Amino acid sequence: MLKDLNENICEAKVFEHVYNTYSKDVHNLLYYKYGAQFNPKDKVQDAFIKLWDNCTKVTLSKAKSFLFTVASNMVLNDIKHNKVVLNHQKITPKSHTNETPEFILEHEQFYERYQKVLERLKEEHRVAFLLNKADGKSHAEIAEFLGVTKKVVEYRIYSAFAILKNDLEGFKLK
């Protein structure tokens, strides 16, 4: 029955026979060749899923070769991925910066003042300003989003700008 090369692997009985015949062999090959750390059982299952997805393209005579090749390639891909991860872990992050402690403190203090001034802005000014400067939305997009005219949006943004410039020394935005 299963000796016919033209049998369709997509049929449940044929696929079950292929699974029962080759699953243990594929598992053993992966286990012996690469060890248990690469989850040979999972790779076997994934290989059979890939066979099922390609059952119309793979003939019964090519099923064994397909399974062994796909499973081995999956493990090799994992090995390559692990090498990349290990190389990435070797790179140590910089433990120092060129910024002085005074600069960092001034930056934090300025940010706190900036947050306080933003909180004091009227909601409509703050929303328009942040949509434009933080999210990068255009005046037309903001106007459409808020349901107001473009001129109203421009007025709100520039009003927020004026308040920020007045209350914060050295405040400059583009």
Side-chain angles (χ1 to χ4, degrees):
M1 171 179 127
L2 294 172
K3 293 180 181 174
D4 185 3
L5 297 179
N6 296 324
E7 285 202 43
N8 190 355
I9 295 178
C10 295
E11 293 177 22
K13 287 183 180 182
V14 176
F15 188 83
E16 181 181 357
H17 177 75
V18 169
Y19 181 82
N20 291 335
T21 304
Y22 299 124
S23 62
K24 188 172 182 177
D25 293 337
V26 174
H27 173 270
N28 290 342
L29 171 81
L30 295 178
Y31 182 78
Y32 298 147
K33 195 169 183 180
Y34 304 109
Q37 72 266 22
F38 292 105
N39 301 322
K41 288 182 183 178
D42 291 346
K43 298 298 182 257
V44 170
Q45 293 302 316
D46 292 343
F48 274 96
I49 290 171
K50 201 158 198 145
L51 176 64
W52 182 256
D53 292 341
N54 294 299
C55 67
T56 57
K57 301 173 190 168
V58 179
T59 63
L60 186 59
S61 63
K62 303 284 185 188
K64 181 178 180 181
S65 173
F66 179 86
L67 288 168
F68 281 89
T69 303
V70 167
S72 291
N73 287 343
M74 286 180 184
V75 174
L76 292 174
N77 287 341
D78 276 359
I79 291 170
K80 286 180 187 177
H81 175 72
N82 286 347
K83 284 182 182 179
V84 170
V85 169
L86 288 174
N87 286 335
H88 226 285
Q89 289 174 346
K90 288 179 185 176
I91 300 171
T92 55
K94 290 190 335 182
S95 61
H96 67 289
T97 65
N98 293 336
E99 299 169 343
T100 63
E102 293 83 18
F103 175 81
I104 294 172
L105 181 62
E106 287 175 9
H107 184 269
E108 289 173 1
Q109 290 172 346
F110 182 82
Y111 183 72
E112 288 174 14
R113 287 194 344 245
Y114 172 73
Q115 289 293 339
K116 288 178 184 175
V117 173
L118 275 180
E119 289 173 7
R120 287 192 310 228
L121 289 175
K122 291 181 182 176
E123 182 180 349
E124 61 245 7
H125 292 169
R126 181 177 56 250
V127 169
F129 177 80
L130 290 175
L131 282 171
N132 181 251
K133 298 303 176 188
D135 292 347
K137 302 243 185 259
S138 69
H139 294 183
E141 290 173 323
I142 298 169
E144 184 181 327
F145 180 71
L146 297 177
V148 296
T149 66
K150 186 176 171 185
K151 287 290 183 189
V152 170
V153 170
E154 291 172 357
Y155 170 77
R156 290 177 181 177
I157 291 171
Y158 293 119
S159 297
F161 241 155
I163 294 169
L164 286 165
K165 280 184 180 180
N166 187 39
D167 291 355
L168 298 171
E169 294 177 22
F171 180 78
K172 294 177 185 173
L173 267 182
K174 293 183 180 179

